[in-house]
Amino acid sequence: MTTTAPETEVLAAVFDAAVAADERIEPRDWMPDAYRATLVRQIAQHAHSEIIGMQPEANWITRAPSLRRKAILMAKVQDEAGHGLYLYSAAETLGTGRDELLDKLHAGRQRYSSIFNYPTLTWADVGAIGWLVDGAAITNQVPLCRCSYGPYARAMVRICKEESFHQRQGYELLLTLSRGTEAQHAMAQDAVDRWWWPSLMMFGPPDDESAHSAQSMAWKIKRHSNDELRQRFVDICVPQAESLGLTLPDPDLRWNEARGHYDFGAIDWDEFHEVLRGNGPCNDQRIGQRRTAHENGAWVREAAAAHAAKHGKATA
Amino acid sequence: MTGTDWPLWEVFVRSRRGLSHTHAGSLHAPDAEMALRNARDLYTRRSEGVSIWVVPATAITASSPDEKDPFFEPAADKPYRHPTFYDIPEGVRHL
């Protein structure tokens, strides 16, 4: 299908008007190539983050301190797989298949959130991830429920509903440790100390250095700037930390009456860029394990395909 | 790589009796049976459904995405199909 230049202009005007009117763009609508490419990049990175994010937490399933905690953690890790699949499904509506995206992840050609390149050293890390990492994710994701691209927005609605359980189980876990023995309290505090700053980095670089922000805001893929969301998250976390009986590792953190927000210290963006470049504590391990898991699953996929062929039920 | 040619299935879920099936998303599976099982694991982990349909995506025929398509035009100029088209005197009840 080819369109002439004047036709493209008309289609672009229809697209712009739909976005301006806060209508949703649906898969078969005409959309600018750059809009499609931006969505594929963002949704893929988001999907990859969900499935890579299974690893740091799965690390503790066999060592969960009770059957209750183990069942909760398994359900949470299974949810992360589900979230990845909702998102790959949304990406596929843009004409990019799951296999292509997985290949790119395995080849290191597409990214996932840098937060998952940090190790989970103690059981308390499971709590800190739930409270802080999932909390930051929710802050990022709630506005995405109103994203201009329909399938992405709908996937986010499902995900946000489920993330709420993730965050609350993490908070409850940390609260239990914080109110436990001295050693348990110290373990909880140590986890928060290590996860706080990387969680703030999850919102991405400062607004004046964010490469894609302005265009994404114009297309209503993004609704709020990185710094705005980061501030919202800090403001939410400070009182929550107080209720936990834990402190946040930032000597510059204090209420600013004039701004009506908490001021916080400088983020180490060098660390952020180093981790993005592949030099975080666990980058190689995460991608290595993902590739291995995919290769180890080959026989299951082959068996399923053989079964379908034998029974002739592959109707599509 | 195996699995690249698995068909795409669209998933529809009935959330409770009395409601229609609603589109939930899609997934890949080698056959209908696996598609149903995967759909259960993916879209009903919190009892969101009492019934699931899986439909090969290629089996769906869709209208043009353009809402201003002449296809929908026959309905556009018939306001008399709506009850609000008619003037009824004040005080007339149960109408």
Side-chain angles (χ1 to χ4, degrees):
Chain A
M1 197 169 64
T2 55
T3 46
T4 61
E7 279 174 11
T8 306
E9 266 173 40
V10 171
L11 292 167
V14 170
F15 171 85
D16 290 341
V19 170
D22 252 341
E23 284 177 18
R24 296 292 175 265
I25 305 300
E26 294 295 341
R28 294 169 71 232
D29 292 340
W30 183 92
M31 61 187 88
D33 290 343
Y35 177 83
R36 185 185 299 273
T38 297
L39 277 169
V40 169
R41 182 180 50 77
Q42 179 172 336
I43 297 173
Q45 174 169 342
H46 196 160
H48 297 334
S49 300
E50 299 285 356
I51 62 165
I52 293 285
M54 297 166 75
Q55 291 183 32
E57 295 188 281
N59 178 34
W60 282 94
I61 288 177
T62 57
R63 292 170 289 168
S66 68
L67 187 55
R68 175 178 181 270
R69 294 286 179 197
K70 182 183 247 180
I72 290 168
L73 187 53
M74 284 197 293
K76 180 175 190 292
V77 172
Q78 192 192 12
D79 271 355
E80 307 298 359
H83 295 177
L85 290 172
Y86 303 156
L87 289 161
Y88 287 123
S89 166
E92 185 140 6
T93 65
L94 293 160
T96 311
R98 290 153 171 81
D99 289 322
E100 184 185 337
L101 295 179
L102 279 180
D103 286 346
K104 284 184 175 161
L105 171 66
H106 295 159
R109 285 166 53 213
Q110 278 180 341
R111 281 174 172 164
Y112 53 90
S113 176
S114 63
I115 191 82
F116 300 115
N117 291 315
Y118 291 86
T120 42
L121 303 178
T122 71
W123 169 251
D125 288 24
V126 173
I129 288 179
W131 175 42
L132 295 174
V133 176
D134 290 317
I138 290 170
T139 308
N140 260 330
Q141 289 169 356
V142 166
L144 286 173
C145 296
R146 295 185 298 120
C147 160
S148 61
Y149 187 58
Y152 191 27
R154 292 192 285 275
M156 293 318 304
V157 170
R158 292 187 71 93
I159 290 175
C160 284
K161 274 187 200 161
E162 300 182 359
E163 288 287 355
S164 175
F165 137 61
H166 296 181
Q167 193 187 20
R168 290 173 67 112
Q169 66 83 34
Y171 194 85
E172 189 211 63
L173 193 165
L174 279 181
L175 188 64
T176 307
L177 287 176
S178 179
R179 289 177 177 172
T181 66
E182 206 172 305
Q184 286 170 330
H185 180 88
M187 187 195 278
Q189 183 62 59
D190 170 64
V192 170
D193 288 348
R194 282 182 291 107
W195 288 95
W196 173 249
W197 290 108
S199 297
L200 294 191
M201 295 176 197
M202 283 176 69
F203 296 92
D207 293 346
D208 48 7
E209 292 168 29
S210 180
H212 308 289
S213 275
Q215 182 60 73
S216 287
M217 300 265 283
W219 278 329
K220 296 188 182 172
I221 296 173
K222 242 176 119 108
R223 297 278 182 166
H224 307 280
S225 78
N226 294 354
D227 287 330
E228 195 183 337
L229 291 169
R230 187 166 15 244
Q231 180 71 61
R232 186 179 296 179
F233 178 66
V234 171
D235 291 346
I236 288 170
C237 284
V238 174
Q240 290 179 347
E242 282 166 14
S243 298
L244 279 174
L246 299 172
T247 58
L248 297 171
D250 181 356
D252 297 324
L253 193 64
R254 64 179 58 87
W255 179 251
N256 182 325
E257 190 66 49
R259 288 204 310 129
H261 293 290
Y262 283 92
D263 288 337
F264 54 97
I267 293 170
D268 181 358
W269 291 112
D270 289 342
E271 175 181 323
F272 175 74
H273 291 297
E274 271 305 294
V275 177
L276 272 192
R277 265 194 288 273
N279 301 323
C282 302
N283 295 58
D284 294 340
Q285 181 190 334
R286 298 291 185 237
I287 281 294
Q289 195 169 333
R290 176 87 265 291
R291 283 196 205 107
T292 306
H294 191 71
E295 284 158 17
N296 289 347
W299 72 269
V300 179
R301 295 190 292 276
E302 282 162 19
H307 184 269
K310 188 172 171 186
H311 296 274
K313 286 179 193 157
T315 51
Chain B
M1 192 171 65
T2 315
T4 47
D5 52 356
W6 284 3
L8 183 67
W9 303 79
E10 297 295 337
V11 179
F12 298 81
V13 175
R14 183 203 292 284
S15 58
R16 58 186 163 84
R17 298 177 70 84
L19 296 179
S20 305
H21 287 73
T22 307
H23 185 241
S26 70
L27 50 78
H28 287 266
D31 60 29
E33 196 182 335
M34 284 298 294
L36 263 185
R37 283 175 179 274
N38 291 350
R40 176 200 61 189
D41 291 346
L42 188 55
Y43 292 107
T44 62
R45 285 195 302 285
R46 288 174 176 76
S47 312
E48 293 97 331
V50 294
S51 167
I52 301 175
W53 292 344
V54 290
V55 181
T58 51
I60 294 175
T61 306
S63 63
S64 150
D66 186 354
E67 287 165 24
K68 300 194 176 53
D69 195 284
F71 184 72
F72 291 108
E73 210 162 78
D77 59 352
K78 296 179 181 62
Y80 46 84
R81 280 181 169 157
H82 297 277
T84 49
F85 181 76
Y86 301 93
D87 292 326
I88 303 295
E90 290 271 337
V92 178
R93 303 174 67 203
H94 305 301
L95 197 69

